Structures are given as structure tokens and as C-alpha cells.
Amino acid sequence: MSSIPAVHVAYVAPHDLVRQLRAMKEAFLGTTEIVLARELTKLYEEFWSGSIEEAIHEFTVNREPKGEFTILVQNQGGGAADAGDAQGETSSPPRYSKVLESLMRAGMSSSEAAKALVEISQLPLKKKEVYNEA
């Protein structure tokens, strides 16, 4: 699965955030870009983006995690998927309906979910195309 470009979504309690981020740092690379969405659909809704290492620093040094978090991590893929592209083969565009469904179940509107997915993805995605899948 590490060869498939995908967005991973996790729901995390505030007391478990740093532990989960450290585990993600091991599983992915510490420089992998993530988006943290806090308190979705609530008054104190907040989005934070940066690398996993920056997130660990932010929530251990700068501030204490408060509220429920949704973590979005872009898996860059590699191996077989990239080899096909290098040979001139084109693959069908990835579909993100499951990720969008998860974000909307967490309380995001389809527009907010599409925006968050485009922000974390390093693929050439357009918000309108992702939104149309929602």
C-alpha cells in the first residue's frame, strides 16, 4: 500500500495526539505534510498544516492539544505507481470519495472536506473536481 498515493485520515483525542504524531513520524517520514483539523463544525474550528515534525513541536512546545483532532496525511506513494508514470503510462485519476465521506461524517461540509483534501494533497488536484466527487 505504500506505493499507492492516498490520503490517510485519523480521528484522535487530544491526550493521544502527540503519541499518534510520533507513530506517524516513524511510519511516514517526519517531513511528510499533514493537516490537523480541530473541533470540526464547532465554534473553535481550526486548521493547522505543516510537517509531522513541525506538528510534534507545535503541540509539545508551543501549546497543549485541546479538542478532538482529525489528521490528514498524504502518502506520497512510490515504487510501482511511480514506475508506470516514468514509462509514459497514465493511470486513471485517484478517487477520494471514501476520504471525503469520512470528513463529512466528522462534520465537515462537502466544500470544507474538498478544501482540506486539496490542501493536504501534493497531487495536482482542483477543488472543484474533488468537490464533484463529494
Side-chain angles (χ1 to χ4, degrees):
M1 289 204 39
S2 65
S3 67
I4 301 171
V7 175
H8 302 276
V9 179
Y11 306 101
V12 181
H15 66 274
D16 204 27
L17 178 66
V18 173
R19 185 179 69 78
Q20 290 293 334
L21 290 171
R22 286 183 175 135
M24 288 178 177
K25 180 180 174 184
E26 299 276 329
F28 301 97
L29 295 175
T31 57
T32 298
E33 293 294 311
I34 65 171
V35 171
L36 297 174
R38 184 178 77 86
E39 294 295 318
L40 292 176
T41 74
K42 297 180 182 150
L43 179 63
Y44 299 105
E45 179 179 275
E46 174 187 8
F47 291 90
W48 182 96
S49 63
S51 71
I52 295 174
E53 287 179 346
E54 291 169 336
I56 293 169
H57 180 79
E58 178 71 20
F59 292 97
T60 56
V61 176
N62 295 341
R63 59 180 162 154
E64 180 182 338
K66 293 183 180 180
E68 298 295 318
F69 286 85
T70 302
I71 305 173
L72 294 95
V73 182
Q74 173 67 45
N75 180 14
Q76 300 303 314
D82 291 340
D85 291 342
Q87 296 171 6
E89 298 173 18
T90 58
S91 57
S92 61
R95 299 292 174 221
Y96 301 101
S97 58
K98 293 209 183 275
V99 173
L100 292 169
E101 288 172 17
S102 295
L103 293 172
M104 290 185 289
R105 271 197 310 273
M108 285 183 154
S109 70
S110 53
S111 177
E112 292 168 327
K115 180 180 177 183
L117 186 56
V118 169
E119 186 175 318
I120 185 63
S121 175
Q122 293 183 354
L123 299 172
L125 298 175
K126 293 185 176 149
K127 182 181 171 191
K128 184 176 182 179
E129 291 172 3
V130 175
Y131 177 79
N132 287 337
E133 284 196 39

